[in-house]
Amino acid sequence: MPMSHKNGIDLLRDSFANKSTAFTEDEKERYGLVGLVPDVTETEDIQVQRVLLQLGTKSTDLGRYIYLIDLLDHNETLFYRTIMSDPARFLPIIYDPTIGEACLKFGHIYRQPRGMYLSITRRGKVKEILKNWPQKDVRFICVTDGGRILGLGDIGANGMGIPIGKLQLYTGCAGVPPQYLLPMYLDAGTNNEQYLHDPLYLGLRQTRPSAEALYSFVDEFVEAVQEVFPKCCIHFEDWTGSDAVHLLERYRDKYCVYNDDVQGTAGIVLAGMINAAKIKGTKLSDEKYLFLGASSAGIGLAGLLCSALVKEGLTLEQAQSQVYMFDVNGLLESTRTDLFDFQKIYAHKHKPTRDFVAAIESIRPTTIIGVSTVGGTFTQAVVEAVSGVNERPVILALSNPTEHAECTAEQAYTWSKGKAIYAAGVQFPPVHFNGQTFLPGQANNFYIFPAVGMAIFATQASRVTDEMFIEAAHAVADQVPPDLLNQGLLYPLQSGILEIEIQTAARVAILVFDSGLARVKRPKDMVAFIREHVYKPEYAAELAIETTPA
């Protein structure tokens, strides 16, 4: 961090440097803090105890989220020490599923700025605005235009909660140091009438522009980042389906960019498919896949899946022929005239149908994948149909928040009579059925993108490739022990998330070096190399500041 001049009270207002009640007696004297903090010197563990006590007084997860964000605004180290102390407890509070409610109410629970807000009205000045950010070595920008937030749709500036939350996962899950992370909202307006008329809405009060105008704005932003933050990777998050796909294709071969909805979602679902195949004793290339939903998440997932199938020996055409898609207008098939260019490769010759059950009975998929954003669409008839054509149907209900899941774990196991191999986009509790206990996994991107991010950070990769996400998928899948696989769990336990991500990042980093994309010298021990870069939520012995006498 750059040196800055601070007196005592300014030091307490600096979330990066603030130690609150943990300043030593020497530090209190040196930095003019005597009398400004209680006359104690507490350990970080004592401070965490106080945080946990105060969290216990909150009656809702939204209340806990607000408290934790306020803690982050005042004491970054203590925030990360808290969430990294028990990730299985805190990840659902700072991200899924609580983040959905937090975004819907973002303008109402707003406390103070975090990240950057870049409006389309500032075209021509983007480079100068980026220079306002105090940290000059930014390695990741997570950016959204709020066009398709989770399963909530266009919520405009309220979507800023997502980049904030995603970057917290870079640190909390994989140890990427937080000072290198910048959440950003590109404000091009919103078509959400509710927010346009909400007096507390924080964004531009205008409808969205044409794709041409939006892309021109994004072009200026992406090109400015190359100059202002030359080591930066741009993480696109929660753009509308067509924009997500088209913008990724626009930049991926020129700059260090990726889209988590397209590639990160694909990576974690691929990991689940790999383990589902292990449970069944098959290979990915033996399976047939039917998606409910054909937007950016589904298309990205299908593309990465096909790349993985090619690695198993299929041609690309053979791989694509095993993937079917179904959207709001029915099955994607060759007579459809309403498809985007990136959907047409999955529009096979088939009788038109708007009946998902009929599609299952005709196609006979081994795996159904819900990316519809519509809760309850895997009905009892759907589950019974896929169970009727499979001994062990794979059911992935990936939409979130919880109310958007295509079916619950209990429904999947009950309606399939215990045959289903199931995972969801949110965490469901264990299900007891017919004397068995099933462990439903959560296909959450936080197993994948923070680890890929750490690999990019450590290697200073110049590009991001699909192969990195495929390797991450295999690395995550390999870390589920056989006893948990036998209970149907497709993903590792969240309690050990940091170690899981370190091992995953090391495997991705090997691929980065092998691909000639690294901009640092190759180490002898890749796991040790990754560990050297991991952030530790501990107060610095010496603060990187110069103080002005109080």
Side-chain angles (χ1 to χ4, degrees), residues 67-81:
Y67 172 85
L68 287 170
I69 293 299
D70 187 64
L71 176 62
L72 175 62
D73 288 337
H74 291 89
N75 189 328
E76 181 179 87
T77 304
L78 184 55
F79 168 83
Y80 282 113
R81 191 172 185 96

mmCIF file of all heavy atoms in Angstrom, residues 67-81:
data_model
loop_
_atom_site.group_PDB
_atom_site.id
_atom_site.type_symbol
_atom_site.label_atom_id
_atom_site.label_comp_id
_atom_site.label_asym_id
_atom_site.label_seq_id
_atom_site.Cartn_x
_atom_site.Cartn_y
_atom_site.Cartn_z
ATOM 1 N N TYR A 67 -24.389 -5.658 9.117
ATOM 2 C CA TYR A 67 -23.390 -5.506 10.175
ATOM 3 C C TYR A 67 -21.987 -5.811 9.649
ATOM 4 O O TYR A 67 -21.022 -5.072 9.913
ATOM 5 C CB TYR A 67 -23.729 -6.431 11.347
ATOM 6 C CG TYR A 67 -22.650 -6.476 12.403
ATOM 7 C CD1 TYR A 67 -22.593 -5.521 13.416
ATOM 8 C CD2 TYR A 67 -21.663 -7.459 12.372
ATOM 9 C CE1 TYR A 67 -21.575 -5.547 14.369
ATOM 10 C CE2 TYR A 67 -20.650 -7.501 13.318
ATOM 11 C CZ TYR A 67 -20.611 -6.541 14.321
ATOM 12 O OH TYR A 67 -19.608 -6.569 15.259
ATOM 13 N N LEU A 68 -21.857 -6.905 8.878
ATOM 14 C CA LEU A 68 -20.541 -7.300 8.386
ATOM 15 C C LEU A 68 -19.990 -6.304 7.370
ATOM 16 O O LEU A 68 -18.788 -6.018 7.355
ATOM 17 C CB LEU A 68 -20.600 -8.705 7.787
ATOM 18 C CG LEU A 68 -20.731 -9.840 8.815
ATOM 19 C CD1 LEU A 68 -21.033 -11.157 8.125
ATOM 20 C CD2 LEU A 68 -19.462 -9.957 9.663
ATOM 21 N N ILE A 69 -20.852 -5.761 6.521
ATOM 22 C CA ILE A 69 -20.384 -4.751 5.568
ATOM 23 C C ILE A 69 -19.940 -3.498 6.307
ATOM 24 O O ILE A 69 -18.949 -2.850 5.936
ATOM 25 C CB ILE A 69 -21.482 -4.418 4.542
ATOM 26 C CG1 ILE A 69 -21.745 -5.639 3.646
ATOM 27 C CG2 ILE A 69 -21.098 -3.223 3.682
ATOM 28 C CD1 ILE A 69 -20.544 -6.096 2.840
ATOM 29 N N ASP A 70 -20.657 -3.151 7.363
ATOM 30 C CA ASP A 70 -20.239 -2.001 8.186
ATOM 31 C C ASP A 70 -18.887 -2.284 8.833
ATOM 32 O O ASP A 70 -18.018 -1.409 8.911
ATOM 33 C CB ASP A 70 -21.308 -1.724 9.245
ATOM 34 C CG ASP A 70 -21.022 -0.439 10.010
ATOM 35 O OD1 ASP A 70 -21.040 0.636 9.395
ATOM 36 O OD2 ASP A 70 -20.775 -0.511 11.232
ATOM 37 N N LEU A 71 -18.678 -3.522 9.280
ATOM 38 C CA LEU A 71 -17.380 -3.908 9.847
ATOM 39 C C LEU A 71 -16.282 -3.777 8.792
ATOM 40 O O LEU A 71 -15.193 -3.252 9.069
ATOM 41 C CB LEU A 71 -17.448 -5.349 10.364
ATOM 42 C CG LEU A 71 -16.150 -5.941 10.910
ATOM 43 C CD1 LEU A 71 -15.655 -5.159 12.126
ATOM 44 C CD2 LEU A 71 -16.336 -7.417 11.256
ATOM 45 N N LEU A 72 -16.566 -4.225 7.563
ATOM 46 C CA LEU A 72 -15.596 -4.101 6.484
ATOM 47 C C LEU A 72 -15.221 -2.644 6.232
ATOM 48 O O LEU A 72 -14.054 -2.324 5.979
ATOM 49 C CB LEU A 72 -16.172 -4.725 5.212
ATOM 50 C CG LEU A 72 -15.347 -4.596 3.933
ATOM 51 C CD1 LEU A 72 -13.998 -5.292 4.076
ATOM 52 C CD2 LEU A 72 -16.118 -5.167 2.747
ATOM 53 N N ASP A 73 -16.204 -1.767 6.306
ATOM 54 C CA ASP A 73 -15.953 -0.346 6.076
ATOM 55 C C ASP A 73 -15.054 0.262 7.147
ATOM 56 O O ASP A 73 -14.427 1.304 6.918
ATOM 57 C CB ASP A 73 -17.274 0.424 6.024
ATOM 58 C CG ASP A 73 -18.064 0.140 4.758
ATOM 59 O OD1 ASP A 73 -17.450 -0.271 3.758
ATOM 60 O OD2 ASP A 73 -19.298 0.316 4.774
ATOM 61 N N HIS A 74 -14.995 -0.371 8.313
ATOM 62 C CA HIS A 74 -14.220 0.200 9.420
ATOM 63 C C HIS A 74 -12.946 -0.577 9.755
ATOM 64 O O HIS A 74 -11.990 0.018 10.253
ATOM 65 C CB HIS A 74 -15.103 0.284 10.675
ATOM 66 C CG HIS A 74 -16.190 1.305 10.574
ATOM 67 N ND1 HIS A 74 -17.429 1.015 10.052
ATOM 68 C CD2 HIS A 74 -16.217 2.616 10.899
ATOM 69 C CE1 HIS A 74 -18.176 2.112 10.066
ATOM 70 N NE2 HIS A 74 -17.470 3.099 10.570
ATOM 71 N N ASN A 75 -12.967 -1.886 9.502
ATOM 72 C CA ASN A 75 -11.821 -2.707 9.891
ATOM 73 C C ASN A 75 -11.753 -3.917 8.957
ATOM 74 O O ASN A 75 -12.319 -4.965 9.236
ATOM 75 C CB ASN A 75 -11.955 -3.150 11.349
ATOM 76 C CG ASN A 75 -10.695 -3.824 11.877
ATOM 77 O OD1 ASN A 75 -9.970 -4.473 11.147
ATOM 78 N ND2 ASN A 75 -10.448 -3.668 13.175
ATOM 79 N N GLU A 76 -11.031 -3.751 7.848
ATOM 80 C CA GLU A 76 -10.964 -4.781 6.818
ATOM 81 C C GLU A 76 -10.359 -6.077 7.347
ATOM 82 O O GLU A 76 -10.857 -7.174 7.044
ATOM 83 C CB GLU A 76 -10.135 -4.240 5.659
ATOM 84 C CG GLU A 76 -9.990 -5.184 4.481
ATOM 85 C CD GLU A 76 -9.168 -4.535 3.375
ATOM 86 O OE1 GLU A 76 -7.919 -4.644 3.415
ATOM 87 O OE2 GLU A 76 -9.778 -3.916 2.492
ATOM 88 N N THR A 77 -9.298 -5.987 8.130
ATOM 89 C CA THR A 77 -8.627 -7.183 8.633
ATOM 90 C C THR A 77 -9.556 -7.999 9.510
ATOM 91 O O THR A 77 -9.638 -9.234 9.376
ATOM 92 C CB THR A 77 -7.365 -6.793 9.426
ATOM 93 O OG1 THR A 77 -6.511 -6.009 8.590
ATOM 94 C CG2 THR A 77 -6.621 -8.028 9.900
ATOM 95 N N LEU A 78 -10.276 -7.349 10.405
ATOM 96 C CA LEU A 78 -11.176 -8.064 11.305
ATOM 97 C C LEU A 78 -12.333 -8.678 10.530
ATOM 98 O O LEU A 78 -12.788 -9.785 10.850
ATOM 99 C CB LEU A 78 -11.693 -7.113 12.390
ATOM 100 C CG LEU A 78 -12.581 -7.730 13.467
ATOM 101 C CD1 LEU A 78 -11.897 -8.904 14.149
ATOM 102 C CD2 LEU A 78 -12.977 -6.671 14.500
ATOM 103 N N PHE A 79 -12.824 -8.002 9.496
ATOM 104 C CA PHE A 79 -13.878 -8.558 8.642
ATOM 105 C C PHE A 79 -13.422 -9.878 8.040
ATOM 106 O O PHE A 79 -14.117 -10.899 8.139
ATOM 107 C CB PHE A 79 -14.242 -7.558 7.540
ATOM 108 C CG PHE A 79 -15.109 -8.139 6.452
ATOM 109 C CD1 PHE A 79 -16.482 -8.226 6.622
ATOM 110 C CD2 PHE A 79 -14.554 -8.589 5.267
ATOM 111 C CE1 PHE A 79 -17.290 -8.766 5.617
ATOM 112 C CE2 PHE A 79 -15.347 -9.127 4.256
ATOM 113 C CZ PHE A 79 -16.719 -9.209 4.436
ATOM 114 N N TYR A 80 -12.238 -9.882 7.424
ATOM 115 C CA TYR A 80 -11.781 -11.106 6.769
ATOM 116 C C TYR A 80 -11.385 -12.175 7.777
ATOM 117 O O TYR A 80 -11.570 -13.376 7.528
ATOM 118 C CB TYR A 80 -10.637 -10.799 5.794
ATOM 119 C CG TYR A 80 -11.149 -10.208 4.508
ATOM 120 C CD1 TYR A 80 -10.861 -8.890 4.158
ATOM 121 C CD2 TYR A 80 -11.950 -10.958 3.652
ATOM 122 C CE1 TYR A 80 -11.354 -8.339 2.972
ATOM 123 C CE2 TYR A 80 -12.452 -10.415 2.474
ATOM 124 C CZ TYR A 80 -12.154 -9.114 2.142
ATOM 125 O OH TYR A 80 -12.651 -8.580 0.983
ATOM 126 N N ARG A 81 -10.870 -11.763 8.915
ATOM 127 C CA ARG A 81 -10.547 -12.774 9.939
ATOM 128 C C ARG A 81 -11.826 -13.472 10.400
ATOM 129 O O ARG A 81 -11.841 -14.682 10.642
ATOM 130 C CB ARG A 81 -9.830 -12.135 11.123
ATOM 131 C CG ARG A 81 -9.251 -13.188 12.079
ATOM 132 C CD ARG A 81 -8.378 -12.568 13.134
ATOM 133 N NE ARG A 81 -7.728 -13.569 13.960
ATOM 134 C CZ ARG A 81 -6.509 -14.035 13.777
ATOM 135 N NH1 ARG A 81 -5.792 -13.581 12.756
ATOM 136 N NH2 ARG A 81 -5.981 -14.930 14.590
#
